[in-house]
Amino acid sequence: MKSNKVLISGIRVSVDSDEDTILKKAQEKMKRTGISSSTLHFRLYKKSIDARRRDDIRFECTVLAEGERLTSLSKERLSAVDAKHLEEEEMILNCGTQTLEASPMIVGMGPAGLFAALLLARQGYAPILIDRGGSVDERAEDVRRFAETGCLNTESNIQFGAGGAGTFSDGKLITRISDPRCSFVLNTLVNFGAPSEVLYKAKPHIGTDLLRQVVSKILEEIKNLGGSVLYHCRMTAVDELSDGTLKINTTKGIFRCGALILAPGHSARDTYTYLIKNNFAIEAKPISVGVRVEHLQQDIDDALYGRFAGHPNLGPAEYALSDTRGERGVYTFCMCPGGEVVAAASEEGHLVVNGMSYHARDLSNANSAVAVSVTPTDFEAIDGSLALGAIAFQRKIERMAFLSGGGDYYAPIMTMGDFLSETRGTSPSRILPSYRGGKVTLADFDEIFPSYVAKSLRYGLSSFGKKLGGYDVKDAILTAAETRTSAPIRILRDREAMTAIGHSRIYPAGEGAGYAGGITSAAVDGIRVAQALMERFAPLKKV
């Protein structure tokens, strides 16, 4: 049977148009099919900015119409008005029959662990969710203290704690994957307090301020449904017992669990090392390293929006740039309009930066990672392991960044002009660095990065200057080092069972396990793993 939902595309409106104008255009289109708009319900489904012509910026929109009469429309009649039936694939939840002798444990409260725990709690599995870091409020205090004093809590910081690394970011929900679980993720976030616009914006984001509230509410829901949430609880070892259950050693004692979902996040290097040394099947994977670049947001707005810069319906402009013509691919990553560069270290004596913005995106600087592709062939094996070599590769750059900054987590910076001309010593002027309120040191990036990374960064930044006017402006600020764009390893798992190779009750999940990149895709992977666990085991109790 045909769907009673129809997507109406090709609706182009001026930037001055409101939602009612968009819906009216969709209604006019549907009238041409012979079905009265009064019998249908319309809502905005997708909205993106078309800024290819700076003198005529438009919104490109898709509207969803819903009504029983839509089932009678043929494909041809809909095609004539740029419309088609929406065939939605449902997210099926099945529970197995195998006995789960004890609660499943989820290691990591990032998107993968959070959504896996929520799904399991809703279905009566009473999961135990742990993280080495603190609650959202505790993390916020730890992050604030680190930024102000340089006192790093290695267990609770921007990388570790409730919500994972994404909690202190822009809260981007963009993903390239096509999966019905994406809709579930977005709707769940909205139900817990994310703005409804994330359901239809082409480049949705929540912002760190709102995302923190959403994460806290999801964790409360997990507890209300019978799950347990333990902070400051780091897994140190796991043993498989003769009865099939698992003994999990943590900093808060020993737990006996029926299964383990391992979603540690991309910075859990001690966990990675433990797994590698205990013969888990783990491989090194490609990563990227580079810098954060800061421009004035007004300059980016002017470059992309021209006379429309500052229009209230557009908001701050954002960009995504890449170039694969050089020796290595170079691309921008996690662009934060109206945001700041943040101190993201998780190990003493190592310096890492990331980008963050609030929902309003109203700070003066725009920032983005500019990253160079690195492959396992660039790593030197340690004790026969390229995976350990990948971790050492990241650490070496972070250590050099720390030393170049002069210690106390002052970040090394260069102006764009100095870096591209291979000179040094020019202080910030028009554009001021946002890292820790300006706790930075002029440095030489050729002392931080391998020569091939520095060379590719110069090539990429120059290329981006040709693609986006003013991008390579001399007084833009570069801050090192961005090294945590993704996990450096992948914990291999069975494609069907979703369990770690050789470990029938351990389920690797999310970005930290090497199977996602970003909030939405990590959440989706956590859901997939939870579904695999549920399809095998029966709930601990009836819901």
Side-chain angles (χ1 to χ4, degrees):
M1 183 177 177
K2 292 178 182 175
S3 169
N4 67 340
K5 297 179 181 179
V6 164
L7 293 179
I8 308 149
S9 305
I11 300 172
R12 288 175 56 81
V13 297
S14 72
V15 294
D16 295 316
S17 301
D18 58 15
E19 188 170 327
D20 284 343
T21 301
I22 296 167
L23 297 183
K24 285 178 182 177
K25 283 187 172 289
Q27 292 165 3
E28 291 169 3
K29 279 195 169 192
M30 288 308 297
K31 286 179 183 178
R32 290 158 50 192
T33 67
I35 293 180
S36 172
S37 296
S38 63
T39 64
L40 305 176
H41 173 71
F42 294 84
R43 71 170 175 84
L44 189 57
Y45 185 81
K46 193 66 66 180
K47 182 180 181 183
S48 61
I49 299 170
D50 182 357
R52 289 173 295 180
R53 293 182 56 190
R54 292 198 309 163
D55 61 338
D56 186 26
I57 296 177
R58 297 267 170 170
F59 288 125
E60 186 81 30
C61 306
T62 300
V63 169
L64 175 69
E66 187 172 0
E68 289 305 318
R69 295 189 62 190
L70 294 175
T71 60
S72 65
L73 292 177
S74 67
K75 179 179 178 180
E76 292 73 23
R77 182 174 290 186
L78 286 173
S79 180
V81 294
D82 292 322
K84 63 179 180 179
H85 283 108
L86 173 63
E87 303 294 341
E88 294 181 297
E89 185 180 346
E90 293 186 14
M91 194 178 80
I92 300 172
L93 300 178
N94 293 319
C95 295
T97 58
Q98 187 174 338
T99 299
L100 194 63
E101 299 85 351
S103 290
M105 175 174 279
I106 299 101
V107 173
M109 292 186 194
L114 203 61
F115 272 82
L118 179 63
L119 205 61
L120 290 170
R122 284 178 172 175
Q123 299 303 311
Y125 288 82
I128 302 169
L129 177 60
I130 71 171
D131 198 288
R132 68 201 300 163
S135 66
V136 170
D137 289 343
E138 288 174 321
R139 285 186 75 193
E141 177 59 21
D142 291 330
V143 170
R144 182 201 64 76
R145 185 186 303 112
F146 180 39
E148 291 183 0
T149 69
C151 181
L152 173 65
N153 183 340
T154 57
E155 293 291 284
S156 184
N157 44 60
I158 277 184
Q159 307 296 350
F160 301 136
T167 303
F168 292 88
S169 69
D170 188 49
K172 283 183 174 58
L173 303 176
I174 303 168
T175 180
R176 293 188 179 94
I177 65 172
S178 178
D179 190 300
R181 299 174 186 88
C182 291
S183 178
F184 174 82
V185 170
L186 295 180
N187 279 286
T188 299
L189 292 172
V190 169
N191 290 339
F192 283 99
S196 59
E197 65 189 33
V198 305
L199 298 176
Y200 61 79
K201 280 195 170 182
K203 296 180 179 179
H205 88 286
I206 299 178
T208 184
D209 46 343
L210 299 187
L211 187 54
R212 295 176 202 177
Q213 299 173 35
V214 171
V215 168
S216 294
K217 290 177 182 178
I218 292 176
L219 288 165
E220 284 302 311
E221 179 74 357
I222 291 168
K223 290 190 285 187
N224 291 338
L225 293 170
S228 301
V229 176
L230 299 176
Y231 304 111
H232 311 291
C233 184
R234 173 168 48 87
M235 185 191 82
T236 57
V238 55
D239 293 308
E240 296 172 68
L241 304 178
S242 58
D243 63 358
T245 61
L246 303 171
K247 183 181 79 171
I248 300 173
N249 290 41
T250 77
T251 52
K252 283 198 170 181
I254 297 174
F255 295 82
R256 177 175 172 264
C257 296
L260 172 67
I261 294 178
L262 197 54
H266 61 36
S267 295
R269 292 167 173 171
D270 49 3
T271 302
Y272 292 159
T273 301
Y274 167 80
L275 296 173
I276 292 167
K277 291 185 175 180
N278 283 272
N279 300 315
F280 278 72
I282 292 179
E283 65 181 13
K285 58 182 281 293
I287 59 173
S288 301
V289 297
V291 299
R292 279 271 152 186
V293 58
E294 289 189 90
H295 299 87
L296 291 182
Q297 183 62 52
Q298 185 63 56
D299 290 350
I300 299 298
D301 291 348
D302 292 341
L304 289 171
Y305 292 159
R307 67 184 180 90
F308 290 98
H311 194 289
N313 287 350
L314 288 175
E318 52 189 309
Y319 58 80
L321 302 167
S322 64
D323 194 312
T324 58
R325 296 171 300 172
E327 295 179 5
R328 293 169 182 266
V330 187
Y331 64 99
T332 63
F333 174 80
C334 187
M335 192 264 168
C336 297
E340 61 185 297
V341 176
V342 293
S346 58
E347 295 180 331
E348 290 184 356
H350 294 74
L351 195 139
V352 184
V353 296
N354 197 2
M356 184 178 81
S357 60
Y358 296 93
H359 181 69
R361 291 175 161 177
D362 57 358
L363 301 183
S364 60
N365 285 6
N367 77 80
S368 174
V370 179
V372 175
S373 297
V374 178
T375 70
T377 59
D378 297 306
F379 308 144
E380 294 183 11
I382 295 178
D383 296 332
S385 170
L386 273 180
L388 288 176
I391 296 169
F393 179 89
Q394 290 179 315
R395 276 183 169 147
K396 183 177 180 180
I397 292 174
E398 293 167 13
R399 180 61 179 168
M400 293 304 299
F402 179 81
L403 295 174
S404 293
D408 201 24
Y409 301 98
Y410 274 58
I413 66 164
M414 294 186 76
T415 62
M416 180 81 75
D418 275 4
F419 182 63
L420 292 182
S421 63
E422 299 186 49
T423 57
R424 56 183 296 182
T426 303
S427 297
S429 53
R430 189 177 64 102
I431 304 169
L432 299 178
S434 60
Y435 175 91
R436 294 184 61 202
K439 293 178 180 177
V440 297
T441 303
L442 292 176
D444 183 352
F445 288 176
D446 288 292
E447 297 177 356
I448 297 173
F449 296 105
S451 58
Y452 55 83
V453 171
K455 178 181 178 182
S456 294
L457 280 173
R458 288 187 173 100
Y459 170 82
L461 291 167
S462 297
S463 169
F464 300 161
K466 297 179 178 68
K467 296 180 178 184
L468 180 59
Y471 193 86
D472 56 353
V473 64
K474 290 183 178 182
D475 56 359
I477 301 297
L478 307 177
T479 310
E482 174 97 24
T483 55
R484 310 286 180 90
T485 56
S486 65
I489 62 95
R490 179 175 290 111
I491 307 170
L492 301 184
R493 67 188 184 192
D494 182 273
R495 289 187 178 182
E496 296 297 326
M498 305 289 281
T499 52
I501 301 299
H503 302 273
S504 64
R505 293 206 182 197
I506 299 178
Y507 296 78
E511 187 166 352
Y515 293 97
I519 293 173
T520 304
S521 62
V524 164
D525 196 64
I527 293 168
R528 291 178 64 211
V529 165
Q531 286 177 284
L533 188 154
M534 289 190 296
E535 288 171 1
R536 177 180 173 187
F537 295 105
L540 289 177
K541 63 179 182 179
K542 292 183 179 179
V543 286

